[in-house]
Structures are given as C-alpha cells and as structure tokens.
Amino acid sequence: MTPRTSAIGARDVERALRRLGVGRRDTLWVHAGLQTALKMEGTTPAEKVATVLRGLDRTVAEGTLVIPTFTYSFARGEDYDVASSPSTVGVLGERFRHLPGVVRTADPMFSAAVRGPLRRPWASRLLEVRDTDCFGARSVFAYLREVDARLLFLGVGFGYCTFVHHVEQRLRVPYRSFKDFAGVVRDGDRAVRTTARYFVRDLESDVESLFGPLGDALLESGAARRATLPGGPALLLTSARAVEAETVRRVRERPDFLLRRGHERRVAEVG
C-alpha cells in the first residue's frame, strides 16, 4: 500500500518558505494557483485557502504580505470599487483582501491586498485614489523593487511574473506602448473619475510574452530557488531586484528575450 501523506499545515508552509530564505520582516508578494493545494489542512476549499494564508502570514509575521487582486474590467468601462470589485486573478487574493487588518490599493487595474507596514510615503501613493501609472514609479511594482520584495510563485510558473512588465516599462521596450483608460474609482462614499496609464503590448505586431526562459536563467544563476510541499504545490522564490537585474541584462543582450519566438517585427535594440 502507498503510505498515506499527512495534510500540509500552515507550519509546513512556513518551514518551506523559511528554507527558501524568506525572513520574518520581509515583504512577500505571492502569485498563487491553488489547483494543487488539495493536500492542505481543511475539509473545504475555503479552509484549505485559509491554511495557505496562515502559513504565508506566519512566514512574514513582522513584515508585509502582498497578494495581487487585479481587476482588468476597468479597461472595459466598469467602475473599480476598492471594497467590492472582486479580484480576477485567483481565490487567494480575493479571500485575503476581506481579512481584518488588510487594505487594498487603489489602482483600478493592478490593485493588491496588503497586510503589514508600508514604507513612507508609499501608503499614500498606493492607497489614495488618483490617476495611476500601472507599472510606473508610484505603482505597487515600484514598491516591490524599492524594498526588494521576495516574489513567490505558489503552484504557478514564473510566466505569471507581472513584475517583469514594470522592468519592461523602465527599459521602454519597443513592443509595448502607453494607453490610457478613464473611468470611475469608488472608495467608500467617494466616486472619483481617474485615468489609469497602462504599458500595453502591441497587438498589431502580435507580441506574446514568454517569461519561462527568464525564470530558468534565475534558477541557473541561483537567484531563484525551488521547493515542493509533499503532495502539494510547487514553490519558486526569487526577489524583485534579482528579476530586474536579470531582465535588464538579458534584454540588452537580446531585445526579444521576453517574447515568444516569431514575434520580432517591432523589436529593436534596447539601450
């Protein structure tokens, strides 16, 4: 008979992340896919998600936990309500944003749920309703870079690394360009008309991102590490500044490095 594998608890998650190098005072940004989380403690999906969140929260108990709660519907003309607009990028962020002590940022497309302190003056930059630049110098991605956040991929691959778009914008890659989306952001009793500037891919040139080779390069250099919870999700951990450094180096060597091959019509040298 196959030995029975015990359920994975919050302490198991914490121990795995501690072995990967996450400290109690770190800022931890989490992309998650929980399809492989069936072995987590709990009898219902909600209880299993709660186990994951407890493990993440314990890991950075004196730091800051940040989980994406993106809402691309703003680009389709829908209002963004900080309190009620559901996350469209997974159940973990949607569950997390409702917990006591968690706040949600005001960017109408690339919001995030945050538990823990934010460096000054970042609380006002991220939480106040105003015009935004989704991947710009006052975005949540710029904050991750400033504090050199740990970037965790839990049950998903490196292809989900949205932070790379922040680096692409800093490099002004030629296959992306700025597009403004106007709409209403609601925060409590306030309704503010705002504009979100988004560094979008060039649809005319059929550009398609491919971040897997970047993740492989980070693993090969030791700037990213892997672990697996027995019977549970795979983990990959790196840092914001490591991703930035490797992205800059690779794109300057080969401007189409972040693209799927065959999508090179608008790619030129990046200075």
Side-chain angles (χ1 to χ4, degrees):
M1 294 179 62
T2 303
R4 184 176 179 180
T5 304
S6 59
I8 300 166
R11 288 183 181 274
D12 298 314
V13 175
E14 180 189 4
R15 281 194 287 264
L17 293 179
R18 200 71 74 214
R19 287 194 296 269
L20 286 175
V22 182
R24 292 179 63 83
R25 294 191 173 99
D26 281 344
T27 296
L28 181 64
W29 168 269
V30 184
H31 286 289
L34 299 183
Q35 296 88 346
T36 57
L38 295 177
K39 293 291 185 179
M40 293 292 173
E41 285 183 352
T43 57
T44 67
E47 290 174 352
K48 293 176 186 296
V49 169
T51 296
V52 175
L53 287 172
R54 283 197 304 274
L56 296 172
D57 200 56
R58 290 171 61 96
T59 305
V60 288
E62 299 172 33
T64 305
L65 178 60
V66 192
I67 302 179
T69 55
F70 304 159
T71 49
Y72 301 111
S73 56
F74 186 80
R76 299 193 298 270
E78 296 181 22
D79 292 356
Y80 168 60
D81 190 303
V82 176
S84 65
S85 291
S87 170
T88 59
V89 287
V91 67
L92 194 73
E94 179 63 13
R95 176 68 179 270
F96 179 58
R97 74 180 184 87
H98 289 289
L99 296 180
V102 175
V103 296
R104 191 185 194 183
T105 64
D107 187 287
M109 287 196 284
F110 291 92
S111 66
V114 183
R115 193 281 301 148
L118 293 166
R119 286 186 187 175
R120 294 181 180 178
W122 281 96
S124 62
R125 289 178 181 175
L126 297 177
L127 301 179
E128 290 180 5
V129 177
R130 62 178 76 190
D131 291 343
T132 61
D133 182 344
C134 300
F135 301 126
R138 293 185 170 218
S139 68
V140 68
F141 304 103
Y143 182 74
L144 300 178
R145 176 178 175 270
E146 179 170 308
V147 301
D148 196 19
R150 309 299 98 176
L151 308 184
L152 174 65
F153 303 84
L154 189 157
V156 295
F158 189 79
Y160 286 83
C161 189
T162 319
F163 176 79
V164 175
H165 296 316
H166 171 66
V167 185
E168 287 180 312
Q169 180 166 320
R170 287 174 59 84
L171 290 170
R172 293 296 193 269
V173 295
Y175 50 84
R176 285 182 171 266
S177 59
F178 291 104
K179 185 173 181 178
D180 290 345
F181 296 89
V184 173
V185 174
R186 299 183 182 277
D187 187 12
D189 295 332
R190 298 178 65 216
V192 182
R193 188 156 187 85
T194 65
T195 298
R197 173 159 285 191
Y198 184 4
F199 197 49
V200 299
R201 63 191 179 95
D202 184 354
L203 296 177
E204 291 185 2
S205 61
D206 197 24
V207 168
E208 186 176 355
S209 297
L210 182 66
F211 296 162
L214 178 61
D216 293 340
L218 289 162
L219 286 164
E220 289 169 9
S221 70
R225 299 177 65 190
R226 278 189 176 130
T228 302
L229 291 164
L235 310 174
L236 186 150
L237 185 83
T238 185
S239 74
R241 292 182 190 170
V243 171
E244 179 186 40
E246 191 68 25
T247 301
V248 170
R249 184 170 76 85
R250 297 286 179 163
V251 170
R252 286 179 173 165
E253 287 176 353
R254 204 189 85 199
D256 71 326
F257 182 77
L258 299 173
L259 305 180
R260 191 174 297 280
R261 291 301 183 91
H263 301 269
E264 305 175 13
R265 186 148 52 96
R266 284 283 308 276
V267 179
E269 292 296 329
V270 176

